[in-house]
């Protein structure tokens, strides 16, 4: 009992302490790290990753995993660019229609993902990995391997228009983080994620429609991936079939490092935020103190293992595949 | 016909049917030289799939195989000049050790294998980037031909890659069928708890399975580097998906315990034929990934043993 | 009010419920007692809708009903308070209480937490529990969780028209005496709201609480006792009383063991929370039976000897050697064999054939440098298939497809062929039909005659008494009493029960 509590406390606060320590560490090595300009840089880099992380957080809370984000982001990003161009290529005109359409598309991909996982009874990591490949394939198909530019000034305003030093896209990400928090704490769906993650059999025995909760969770994650895709396009001004690359590793790392237990039921969107910031600060900090950026993948890989080990209650797990 | 009894035979039936269809529409496909060439080209992928077979056979997965191969292409390119033929040993040892590390993290630290191998893959990717300086590298052509030229020649029209593959298959088959290791891996895959209750050191065998997977991924990377005469941190990207597909369509389910090396041979040939047929039917190469993704889902759904999954997460 | 008429339930090879007649009146507390395997849990599952009866009728107020799942039973007012607690630990108390029924608190898609807290508070008041409904469940004590569980079931009151029937499955097993008294007081008060079916193996508690007691044995109701209608002893006799055929357990084959040769010695072995102060000796040729209720520590003792659990105090010696820090691998190397209760999960590897299973624990004996001598393995398997008359088409038969009895023979052959002379048998006859059980008894006698020491956890008390040289009764992780069981002078089941519960 006490062990459990102390573990919970640790999971709750350790990530935040790590984040603070990192900030202090990098600031000590290079004071320019601690500046509004640099924080804005971290925020811009982290905004899309945050949306992905928030999406996958819901899935991990359920005790499942979603590895489809790369494919989903690539496909929705490319689809956004095309639809945006189709409707005049400007936010000022009819281009805005692309946004809701792409969100629906993301949700649909997630829905399909969930259905494949639940109805065919395939473990989620494999079902979603395969769906991710399909998504990337579809993105290649649409673009033929080309890059699609999105240069509408109004749309790029998400990056260029700043308010208190931070560009608009950061506020948008913050807004959707708030939405995710609201879903997590104030809706039946959000709470049901925790019920499924805490004890699927028990939830089922209590009369919860676990299948529906799972499928809805994947659809919701898909919507967040689509938001991430739009933010990425806004940031780099283009979409292609590799737009989603590396988001899988970064987002899973963030969520796990932030303290969302891989076994489900523990953690939430705030953990995702802290995790994304930890990863963002490490990325940025390494550049600021002059370390080559390729060390990141290795460091993050090790960090993930440490985080999973810390968050695992060994007494509960008999064996692991 | 009972579907359960048909199931073990589905892979080779699929293969025969696919070959027949493609051969019927394009008689040129069945020319021995074409078939040999086709088979030779897929060998690096096959070797990786062979390694993955071990990880999947025990009910795990190795998502680091691709990064491992990437890393090895870089190592081989960088150290060929200084180490000569010994670089091959170095590469395989590196793969083996990183695989062991994945296995250790999975079994001793209770991190699910898809996460541990993903993380170790990240480490391998970092090493590759660090060694290569994030550039594509070239091997010295003369030295390559001297040391590893034998890997890629042809004798009486038979590509040497095929011979390498045959030797590896023989070794793996021997391990699977005739050694205590193979038997133990089967027991772990089919019934881990029973294996443990029989007094087997389950953790050690699982670690070995991941190590073998890593070593074979390294051999795949080495062969690939020799073929391309160079290496880069992302050069083998795109291998992982077809390699997993090869294992699964061959009939080794994600839940482990059945299937094995021979199944992966058949599975890889299916992948090769699908690839070739996409070219013949003028399906754009860019659609391959989509096709394989869908094939993957179908293959998992058909092979997976749902009785072993209490809840599907 | 609630009634079962001639309810029948069959499983492959087992007639679990035989024409059960059962009824509960409004406001009544009905006890249900029986040995392990008497059919109590099957009956409960039929009542709360997890199983569908094969024959007979379920009537509520005289109207026949049929439940496809527990939820349908709940909608007719039948709730279950599970022994293994069914609350989800990471949710708050109120979320657990209303899990699956949150919709009543949702306004425009938003959960009204305050309303839910108020409603939860009202439910908790029914069970006199004054806690913050927003608390995370994992922070509650066990007794508190039990009450929350009860409160959760009592929400049926508002949801369902008609009367409630609440099943309590071993609700007292982990409660202290005071907590039990509080629970009983509460249950008595709650009879104004619901009827209860109370299942427990603590006879005094059942007698204390119940208005009537159903006594089950071998899947049938053997008696219904009204309050004060019988003594605890009389009820216990009804639970276990049966004419034991001495031949059945091969008592005439029971030979004295070799007291000079100690195979396993436990000296004040303890494992916090599982067993304490266990001291025993297993001799060559001895059948030593551990008797106790579920969770009394029998399995923990077996697993400690096998090295799957490691003792924190005391000393364990196997064949004179200190076995501290042994893993199963070491135990096997010292001649220990383990026949687990979950035959299909831990006993055999389904998907592997007979010879692969038989040599799994002793591959070293059939290999050199890691290379197996398969021909030798096959010969060994053929030999044992003949010896134990295992029904398999050949040594290539998949063990997963063998019948339970034959699977068990393969498991026994695995250890015997490897020369194990300390056998740990955990419910070796569970789920076997009579013929297969007799085969197992024969094998136990044969092993005993060959000088093998056997630690047995038997399926029934008769089995334990019939087979053993020595019986050790375990309760709450401690040894209560040791019985010598010479043929003709064996203790009765009642003698044992007295120390078990």
């Amino acid at each position: 009992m006490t062990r459990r509590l102390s573990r919970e406390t640790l999971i709750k606060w350790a990530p935040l302490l790590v984040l603070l320590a990192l900030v202090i560490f990098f600031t000590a090595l290079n004071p320019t790290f601690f500046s509004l300009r640099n924080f804005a840089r971290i925020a811009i880099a982290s905004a899309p990753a945050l949306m992905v992380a928030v999406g996958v957080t819901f899935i991990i809370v359920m005790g499942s995993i979603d590895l489809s984000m790369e494919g989903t982001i690539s496909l929705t990003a490319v689809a956004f660019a095309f639809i945006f161009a189709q409707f005049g290529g400007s936010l000022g005109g009819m281009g805005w229609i692309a946004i809701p359409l792409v969100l629906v598309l993301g949700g649909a991909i997630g829905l399909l993902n969930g259905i494949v996982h639940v109805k065919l009874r395939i473990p989620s990591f494999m079902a979603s990995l395969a769906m991710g490949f399909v998504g990337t394939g579809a993105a290649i198909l649409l673009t033929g391997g080309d890059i699609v530019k999105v240069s509408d000034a109004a749309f790029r305003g998400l990056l260029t228009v700043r308010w208190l030093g931070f560009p608009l896209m950061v506020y948008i990400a913050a807004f959707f983080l708030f939405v995710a928090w609201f879903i997590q704490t104030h809706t039946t769906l959000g709470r049901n994620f925790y019920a499924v993650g805490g004890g699927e059999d028990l939830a089922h025995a209590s009369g919860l429609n676990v299948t529906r909760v799972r499928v809805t969770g994947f659809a919701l994650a898909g919507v967040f991936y689509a938001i991430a895709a739009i933010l990425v396009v806004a940031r780099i001004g283009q979409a292609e079939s590799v737009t989603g690359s590396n988001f899988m590793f970064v987002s899973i790392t963030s969520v796990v490092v932030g303290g969302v237990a891989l076994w489900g039921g523990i953690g939430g969107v705030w953990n995702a935020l802290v995790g994304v910031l930890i990863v963002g600060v490490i990325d940025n900090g390494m550049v600021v103190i002059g370390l080559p950026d390729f060390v990141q993948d290795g460091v993050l890989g090790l960090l993930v293992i440490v985080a999973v080990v810390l968050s695992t209650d060994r007494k509960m797990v008999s064996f692991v595949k | 016909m009972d579907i359960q009894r048909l199931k073990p035979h589905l892979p080779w039936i699929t293969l025969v049917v696919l070959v027949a269809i493609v051969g019927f529409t394009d008689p040129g496909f069945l020319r021995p030289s074409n078939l040999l060439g086709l088979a030779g080209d897929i060998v690096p992928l096959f070797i990786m799939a062979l390694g993955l077979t071990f990880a999947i056979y025990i009910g795990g997965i190795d998502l680091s195989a691709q990064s491992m191969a990437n890393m090895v292409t870089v190592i081989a390119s960088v150290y060929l000049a200084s180490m000569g033929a010994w670089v091959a040993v170095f590469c395989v040892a590196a793969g083996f050790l990183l695989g062991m590390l994945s296995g250790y993290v999975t079994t001793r630290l209770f991190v699910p294998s898809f996460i541990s191998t993903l993380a170790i893959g990240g480490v391998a990717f970092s090493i590759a980037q660090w060694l290569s300086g994030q550039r594509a590298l070239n091997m010295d052509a003369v030295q390559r031909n001297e040391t590893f030229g034998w890997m890629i020649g042809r004798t009486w029209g038979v590509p040497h890659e095929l011979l390498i593959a045959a030797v590896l298959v023989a070794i793996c088959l021997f391990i699977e069928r005739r050694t205590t290791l193979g038997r133990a891996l089967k027991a772990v895959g089919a019934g881990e708890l029973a294996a443990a209750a029989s007094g087997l050191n389950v953790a050690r065998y699982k670690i070995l399975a991941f190590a073998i997977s890593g070593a074979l991924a390294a051999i795949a990377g080495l062969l690939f580097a020799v073929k391309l005469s160079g290496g880069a941190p992302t050069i083998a990207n795109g291998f992982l998906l077809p390699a997993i597909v090869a294992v699964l369509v061959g009939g080794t389910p994600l839940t482990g315990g059945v299937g094995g090396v021979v199944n992966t041979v058949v599975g890889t040939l299916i992948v090769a034929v699908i690839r070739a047929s996409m070219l013949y039917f003028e399906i754009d190469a860019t659609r391959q990934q989509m096709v394989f993704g869908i094939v993957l889902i179908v293959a998992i759904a058909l092979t997976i043993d749902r009785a072993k999954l209490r809840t599907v997460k | 009010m609630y009634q079962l008429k001639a309810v029948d339930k069959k499983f492959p090879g087992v007639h679990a419920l035989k024409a059960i007649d059962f009824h509960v009146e409004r406001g009544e507390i009905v006890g249900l007692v029986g040995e392990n395997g008497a059919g109590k849990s099957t009956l409960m599952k039929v009542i709360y809708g997890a199983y569908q009866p094969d024959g007979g009728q379920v009537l509520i107020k005289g109207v026949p009903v049929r439940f496809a799942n527990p939820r349908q039973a709940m909608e007719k007012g039948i709730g279950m308070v599970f022994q293994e607690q069914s609350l989800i630990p990471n949710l708050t108390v109120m979320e657990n209480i209303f899990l699956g029924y949150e919709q009543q608190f949702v306004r425009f898609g938003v959960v009204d937490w305050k309303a839910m807290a108020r409603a939860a508070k009202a439910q908790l008041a029914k069970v006199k529990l004054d806690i913050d409904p927003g608390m995370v469940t994992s922070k509650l004590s066990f007794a508190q969780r039990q009450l929350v569980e009860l409160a959760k079931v009592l929400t049926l009151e508002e949801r369902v028209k008609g009367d409630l029937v609440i099943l309590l499955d071993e609700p007292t097993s982990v409660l202290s005496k005071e907590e039990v008294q509080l629970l009983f007081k509460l249950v008595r008060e709650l009879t104004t709201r619901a009827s209860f079916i109370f299942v427990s193996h603590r006879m005094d508690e059942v007698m204390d609480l119940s208005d009537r007691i159903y006594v089950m044995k071998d899947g049938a109701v053997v008696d219904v006792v009204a309050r004060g209608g019988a003594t605890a002893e009389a009820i216990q006799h009804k639970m276990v009383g049966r004419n034991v055929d001495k031949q059945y357990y091969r008592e005439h084959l029971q030979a004295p063991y070799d007291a000079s040769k100690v195979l396993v010695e436990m000296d004040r072995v303890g494992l916090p929370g599982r067993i304490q102060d266990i001291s025993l000796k297993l001799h060559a040729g001895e059948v030593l039976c551990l008797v106790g209720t579920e969770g009394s520590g029998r399995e923990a003792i077996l697993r400690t000897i096998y090295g799957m659990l490691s003792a924190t105090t005391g000393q364990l010696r196997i064949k004179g050697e200190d076995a501290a820090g042994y893993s199963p691998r070491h135990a096997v190397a010292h001649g220990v064999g383990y026949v687990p209760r979950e035959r299909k999960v831990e006993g055999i590897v389904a998907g592997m054939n007979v010879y692969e299973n038989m040599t799994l624990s002793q591959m070293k004996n059939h290999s050199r440098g890691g290379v197996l001598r398969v021909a030798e393995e096959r010969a060994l398997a053929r030999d044992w298939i003949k010896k134990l008359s295992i029904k398999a088409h050949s040594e290539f038969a998949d063990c997963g497809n063998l019948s339970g009895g034959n699977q068990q023979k393969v498991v026994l052959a695995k250890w015997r062929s490897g020369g194990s002379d300390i056998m740990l048998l955990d419910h070796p006859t569970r789920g076997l039909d009579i013929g297969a059980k007799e085969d197992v008894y024969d094998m136990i006698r044969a092993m005993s005659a060959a000088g093998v020491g056997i630690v047995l956890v038997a399926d029934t008390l008769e089995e334990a008494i019939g087979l053993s040289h020595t019986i050790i009764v375990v309760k709450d992780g401690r040894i209560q009493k040791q019985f010598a069981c010479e043929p003709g002078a064996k203790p009765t089941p009642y003698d044992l029960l007295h120390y078990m519960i």
Side-chain angles (χ1 to χ4, degrees), chain C residues 42-59:
Chain C
T42 312
L43 179 60
M44 277 193 291
K45 284 185 173 159
V46 167
I47 293 175
Y48 77 80
Y51 286 163
Q52 287 71 50
D54 299 327
Q57 277 188 313
V58 181
L59 305 163

Side-chain angles (χ1 to χ4, degrees), chain C residues 115 120 137 182 217 227 252 313 330 340 354 381 406-407 411-412 487 494:
Chain C
T137 311
L182 280 176
K217 184 169 81 79
R227 182 184 285 281
H252 57 289
T313 56
H330 298 109
V354 176
N406 287 304
Q407 287 180 341
V411 179
L412 282 165
Y494 176 66

Side-chain angles (χ1 to χ4, degrees), chain A residues 1 4-5 8 182 185-188 191-192 194-200 202-203 205-209 264-266, chain C residues 70-71 74 82 85-92 95 99-103 106 109-111 113 138-140 145 152:
Chain A
M1 194 78 187
R4 227 193 120 66
L5 286 184
E8 267 165 25
F182 189 81
T185 50
H186 283 83
T187 67
T188 324
R191 299 314 299 172
N192 285 348
Y194 284 86
V196 171
E200 177 164 355
L202 303 179
S206 295
L208 203 66
N209 188 340
I266 302 172
Chain C
R71 187 160 178 138
M74 262 150 66
F82 290 90
Q85 302 207 354
S86 71
L87 301 179
I88 299 180
N90 60 325
L91 297 190
T92 60
E95 284 177 295
L99 185 63
Y101 298 93
E102 302 93 341
Q103 225 44 48
V106 174
V110 180
V111 180
W113 291 120
S138 62
K139 293 188 174 155
L140 298 180
R145 271 187 258 178
K152 177 178 174 177

